[in-house]
């Protein structure tokens, strides 16, 4: 069943992605999944070119906004991972709620461009799980573009704190 979850994720479009992450409307920035497994996810984005992108300020989309693209890819990977982990227990294929994750730290951020809105090509957003201890998940991330030669736009490491299980009250 797990491989079916990963295989089905390859067909996800913007609407399918938005249904699985806590971002709605124009704030859902990813358009498609290009690759995914238990350790990593590769997504495609073109919303960086839209003047209506909610992250645009004074007509510009700064490169640091790429962290939000990576965060959404991490959220999607977490949701798909939860679905894969529960697929054997619930063969009905019903979607499973992933634990909420909170981006608590970004480290080793390297911005290799000043802005994203002037990137003509689609952007590839790659997140790779570097560690997971149940309370935190650590991801390496990178945004790249092919125009006409592949180039890295930004990269870094993100620490995501996972919501603790509710036991007898609020967390």
């Amino acid at each position: 069943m797990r491989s079916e979850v990963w295989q089905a994720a390859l067909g996800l479009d913007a609407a399918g992605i938005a249904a699985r992450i806590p971002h709605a409307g124009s704030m859902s920035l990813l358009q498609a999944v290009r690759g995914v497994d238990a350790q990593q996810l590769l997504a495609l984005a073109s919303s960086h070119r839209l003047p209506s992108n909610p992250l645009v300020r004074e007509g510009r989309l700064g490169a640091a906004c790429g962290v939000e693209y990576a965060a959404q890819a991490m959220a999607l990977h977490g949701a798909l991972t939860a679905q894969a982990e529960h697929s054997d227990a619930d063969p009905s294929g019903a979607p499973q709620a992933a634990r909420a994750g909170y981006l608590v730290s970004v480290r080793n951020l390297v911005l290799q461009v000043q802005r994203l809105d002037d990137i003509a090509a689609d952007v590839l957003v790659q997140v790779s799980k570097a560690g997971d201890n149940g309370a935190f998940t650590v991801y390496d991330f990178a945004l790249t573009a092919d125009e006409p030669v592949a180039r890295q736009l930004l990269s870094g490491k993100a620490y995501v704190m996972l919501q603790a299980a509710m036991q007898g009250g609020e967390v």
Side-chain angles (χ1 to χ4, degrees):
M1 290 289 288
R2 290 177 188 203
S3 63
E4 291 175 15
V5 170
W6 303 124
Q7 202 57 256
L10 292 174
L12 288 178
D13 60 6
I17 292 169
R20 289 167 172 79
I21 64 174
H23 303 80
S26 63
M27 196 54 206
S28 183
L29 302 171
L30 306 175
Q31 276 68 52
V33 174
R34 292 290 184 243
V36 64
D37 61 31
Q39 291 304 116
Q40 61 188 348
L41 182 132
L42 180 65
L44 179 75
S46 60
S47 61
H48 61 285
R49 295 188 300 262
L50 299 175
S52 62
N53 184 313
L55 300 175
V56 168
R57 296 293 178 262
E58 298 180 14
R60 298 171 51 108
L61 181 64
C65 293
V67 173
E68 176 61 26
Y69 284 79
Q72 290 189 23
M74 292 175 225
L76 178 59
H77 188 259
L80 293 170
T81 299
Q83 185 179 352
E85 288 173 353
H86 295 289
S87 65
D88 290 331
D90 183 6
S92 71
Q96 298 293 320
R99 290 190 296 166
Y102 301 93
L103 183 63
V104 294
S105 177
V106 174
R107 299 188 182 174
N108 304 327
L109 182 63
V110 177
L111 305 176
Q112 294 170 317
V113 295
Q114 290 187 354
R115 50 196 289 192
L116 298 176
D117 58 295
D118 61 358
I119 304 296
D122 288 343
V123 171
L124 294 172
V125 182
Q126 181 170 11
V127 297
S128 301
K129 195 181 284 191
D132 186 346
N133 69 4
F136 287 90
T137 302
V138 180
Y139 282 96
D140 291 318
F141 65 88
L143 274 66
T144 58
D146 294 326
E147 52 171 23
V149 176
R151 69 176 170 145
Q152 193 166 81
L153 306 174
L154 64 107
S155 62
K157 183 178 291 287
Y159 293 75
V160 178
M161 182 177 68
L162 302 173
Q163 181 181 19
M166 302 267 296
Q167 293 183 358
E170 293 187 23
V171 177

